[in-house]
Amino acid sequence: MPVLNRAELSRTGVIFVALLVAICATSAAAREFRAADTQAEDYPTVQALRYMGALIAERTGGRHEVKVFHSRQLGEEKETIEQTRAGAIDLNRTNVALIGNFVPAMNVLAMPFLFRSIEHMQKVLDGPIGNEILNSFEPYGFVGLAFYDSGARSIYNSVRPVKSLADLKGLRIRVQQSELMSEMIRALGAEPVELPYGQVLTGLATHLIDGAENNWPSFVTTDHYKYAGYYTLTEHTMSPEVLVISLKAWRSLSAGDQTIFREAAQRSSRFMREKWRDLEEQSQHKAEAAGISVIKDIDRKPFEDAMAPIYAKAAQDPAAAALIERIRKVE
């Protein structure tokens, strides 16, 4: 056994303490991040969150992991947004209409008939405007990481085919828990009923509501199509989904880890789009095969014209008016 002199022992002790401190610091920094999603386990957004988690685990050598709670395990979207803002939930995938209750710019993205097509929406969100919007979340307790697609939302019901505004009159249509969405349905002549996403199927089955509005995958994967036999391609909104992280969780990350999270989120967005396109096509085919009446040839102009009061109200906010104008100018 070699005999160490006092100086060598001192140096060995310093090195040992430094290593111990480094190990403890690494251990303290490592953690599991909880992510919320109201959709089912095999839904594209849930798959994208898991894909993001795998990228983060790989890039951090397993220091950080993301555990995804799907199927409303942590609550409905309105509840999970509030919990994320408070720091009780770390990551959250939500529709822009609901988080618009906290982040004003999100209400603009949820405006009816704002985007001309899915391609137009993606060009806006993938460019400078999208980055600016994601960077506007911090004052409200969130950090915006990425946008996910959500297709086009259309109106479906169990009473009659909707071919004109007159056909909507008197129908009780479920909307998200959002003032903007209620105003939109009211402007179209129907009666809005704000219900959490998880209660829509029961609402349709018990005739509490006559219909709802959503995209093809949500219409089919939730079994809404079994109770609402008329699907009208109004495509009134193309509002995306947004992935946010709580400000508390974000500030717990080092600058390097923040970069890893943001890059993983952006990659998961591209991954989600591929999954979404496939599911959207499959869902439409499944609904049509089940005998759903799809009303395609409608005059959308009266629907768009009915939104004039909503746009007039939005124009009272200079920031919202400017953002709407910028989005419309994107070619």
Side-chain angles (χ1 to χ4, degrees), residues 198-214:
Q199 295 178 21
V200 180
L201 182 62
T202 301
L204 288 168
T206 61
H207 302 290
L208 171 67
I209 54 175
D210 299 311
E213 51 83 47
N214 219 317

Side-chain angles (χ1 to χ4, degrees), residues 66-208:
V66 175
K67 184 173 183 180
V68 181
F69 293 84
H70 54 82
S71 307
R72 301 185 298 279
Q73 293 176 63
L74 298 182
E76 296 286 355
E77 277 187 87
K78 186 173 183 292
E79 298 161 0
T80 61
I81 291 169
E82 291 168 350
Q83 291 181 65
T84 305
R85 191 184 189 201
I89 292 175
D90 302 305
L91 292 149
N92 197 351
R93 188 285 311 157
T94 180
N95 189 268
V96 297
L98 282 168
I99 203 168
N101 293 326
F102 299 96
V103 185
M106 292 295 96
N107 282 323
V108 171
L109 296 185
M111 290 289 283
F113 302 105
L114 173 64
F115 296 109
R116 298 185 296 275
S117 64
I118 295 297
E119 291 73 25
H120 177 221
M121 181 195 73
Q122 290 176 347
K123 193 164 186 179
V124 169
L125 299 182
D126 292 345
I129 294 176
N131 287 331
E132 288 174 26
I133 292 173
L134 289 175
N135 291 333
S136 73
F137 280 64
E138 200 161 318
Y140 309 101
F142 313 94
V143 171
L145 294 178
F147 288 108
Y148 288 167
D149 278 11
S150 188
R153 298 174 76 97
S154 291
I155 294 173
Y156 50 90
N157 82 96
S158 61
V159 179
R160 55 179 173 263
V162 171
K163 299 178 180 179
S164 67
L165 290 180
D167 296 324
L168 277 169
K169 191 170 180 61
L171 293 183
R172 291 168 56 80
I173 303 295
R174 176 267 174 177
V175 294
Q176 297 159 296
Q177 293 165 289
S178 157
E179 182 183 348
L180 175 63
M181 293 298 100
S182 287
E183 289 178 354
M184 179 195 71
I185 289 298
R186 200 173 290 116
L188 292 174
E191 181 184 345
V193 180
E194 292 190 12
L195 275 181
Y197 186 57
Q199 295 178 21
V200 180
L201 182 62
T202 301
L204 288 168
T206 61
H207 302 290
L208 171 67

Side-chain angles (χ1 to χ4, degrees), residues 22-37:
I23 290 170
C24 289
T26 301
S27 177
R31 59 169 291 194
E32 180 181 85
F33 291 78
R34 301 200 312 161
D37 197 311

Side-chain angles (χ1 to χ4, degrees), residues 250-297:
W250 183 253
R251 287 176 174 170
S252 74
L253 295 168
S254 68
D257 284 346
Q258 287 177 354
T259 299
I260 289 172
F261 268 65
R262 199 178 289 279
E263 289 177 352
Q266 292 294 330
R267 286 181 60 183
S268 77
S269 174
R270 295 190 290 274
F271 172 88
M272 186 271 172
R273 282 182 184 174
E274 294 177 10
K275 297 292 183 183
W276 178 261
R277 281 192 293 270
D278 293 340
L279 181 61
E280 197 168 39
E281 186 175 319
Q282 293 166 18
S283 299
Q284 182 172 351
H285 289 329
K286 185 173 182 178
E288 290 174 338
I292 297 300
S293 296
V294 183
I295 297 89
K296 300 177 181 179
D297 299 323

